[in-house]
Amino acid sequence: MAESGESNKNKLKLYSYWRSSCSQRVRIALNLKGLEYEYIPVNLLKGEHFSSDFLKLNPLGYVPALVDGEIVISDSFAILMYLEEKYPQHPLLPSDLQKKALNYQAANVVSSSIQPLQNMAVLKYIKEKVGPDEVIPWVQSHINKGFAALEKLLKDSAGKYATGNEVSMADLFIEPQILGAIKRFNVDMTQFPLLSRLHEAYSELPAFQNAMPENQPDASPSSVT
Ligand SMILES: N[C@@H](CCC(=O)N[C@@H](CS)C(=O)NCC(=O)O)C(=O)O
């Protein structure tokens, strides 16, 4: 679990925003692997991700960023791969090559073909240049397309979780995206029975529960992004 404010040179530091789905992926991984970390909030609404201090950690100005001693990594996928190699307990990747590839593919459906299309800069651009009423339909169309693909992609491999009966990397990308789809973008999840079933299964796991946006120290349920 995260501990806020404690200074400990050896402790992992996670720069995170409570509602960031990319940060949530890493929070779940840290919880699954039983790694303690210091939670350092970066308020995206206040533009803290563009501060000169944060840009030293991630020149792109996105959360999450992880600091492990001298090592600084940003991008959730890179962070998860790093954690997987350095802290092999509770593996996030199956040893079966086909399943491993499926995990990479499902993770990238979310991280390349859904989430970037709903990022703050994109939504601001659509709101200002196209029109405020176009924001939700835009996001929904990309979530629907990605989720429809995931339903097909995972139909033969899913067990209790996305690629079998163990939680693996695909699950860490899928759950935060489902939460955003439901809570922020009003997506009709009845179209996606497999993803809805997975969402139910995740809601029972403490590692997923503790990583939920509302359980973070910087949670501010009244704010909108
Ligand atoms: N590929 C990156 C994407 C990071 C990213 O887009 N982070 C979002 C939050 S989920 C962000 O910082 N957005 C700020 C903005 O759009 O200005 C990752 O997986 O970490």
Side-chain angles (χ1 to χ4, degrees):
M1 249 319 272
E3 282 170 32
S4 199
E6 190 178 316
S7 78
N8 177 343
K9 219 165 120 259
N10 298 321
K11 201 184 245 183
L12 293 163
K13 293 185 174 58
L14 179 68
Y15 290 77
S16 168
Y17 178 61
W18 66 287
R19 252 171 101 149
S20 150
S21 60
C22 312
S23 304
Q24 192 178 348
R25 299 167 194 159
V26 177
R27 298 195 299 254
I28 299 169
L30 291 166
N31 292 343
L32 285 170
K33 288 181 177 290
L35 297 168
E36 284 205 354
Y37 63 98
E38 183 182 347
Y39 187 104
I40 304 178
V42 179
N43 190 323
L44 300 186
L45 293 187
K46 291 189 180 157
E48 289 175 0
H49 49 315
F50 299 126
S51 71
S52 57
D53 279 350
F54 187 73
L55 289 173
K56 283 183 202 142
L57 300 175
N58 183 2
L60 256 185
Y62 288 143
V63 290
L66 183 85
V67 178
D68 187 6
E70 300 297 309
I71 299 177
V72 180
I73 317 154
S74 45
D75 191 285
S76 60
F77 187 78
I79 295 171
L80 295 184
M81 296 301 281
Y82 170 82
L83 290 175
E84 184 67 353
E85 290 201 34
K86 174 136 188 216
Y87 305 100
Q89 65 271 28
H90 199 301
L92 301 174
L93 288 167
S95 48
D96 177 84
L97 267 187
Q98 193 181 357
K99 279 202 169 178
K100 197 186 275 190
L102 189 57
N103 271 275
Y104 294 146
Q105 192 179 350
N108 278 290
V109 167
V110 174
S111 72
S112 302
S113 302
I114 304 180
Q115 184 273 330
L117 299 162
Q118 64 182 50
N119 227 338
M120 280 171 70
V122 174
L123 300 192
K124 185 168 180 287
Y125 187 90
I126 293 174
K127 189 173 167 191
E128 288 170 4
K129 306 275 183 198
V130 187
D133 295 344
E134 297 306 318
V135 172
I136 295 291
W138 161 270
V139 178
Q140 285 179 341
S141 75
H142 290 289
I143 293 179
N144 287 341
K145 183 177 175 200
F147 279 6
L150 285 172
E151 289 268 324
K152 287 188 189 141
L153 198 60
L154 301 174
K155 74 177 176 6
D156 296 326
S157 67
K160 190 161 184 200
Y161 306 111
T163 66
N165 289 321
E166 304 292 335
V167 168
S168 56
M169 184 179 277
D171 301 297
L172 278 53
F173 284 76
I174 288 171
E175 171 62 352
Q177 186 59 60
I178 294 178
L179 276 175
I182 296 171
K183 294 196 173 179
R184 294 179 59 198
F185 301 118
N186 212 13
V187 168
D188 171 16
M189 286 301 295
T190 60
Q191 308 170 83
F192 309 114
L194 172 56
L195 295 182
S196 298
R197 177 171 71 68
L198 296 176
H199 178 54
E200 283 294 314
Y202 303 140
S203 71
E204 291 173 11
L205 302 176
F208 282 68
Q209 291 161 358
N210 292 337
M212 293 276 281
E214 58 267 34
N215 293 332
Q216 306 317 302
D218 55 336
S220 163
S222 61
S223 70
V224 283
T225 53

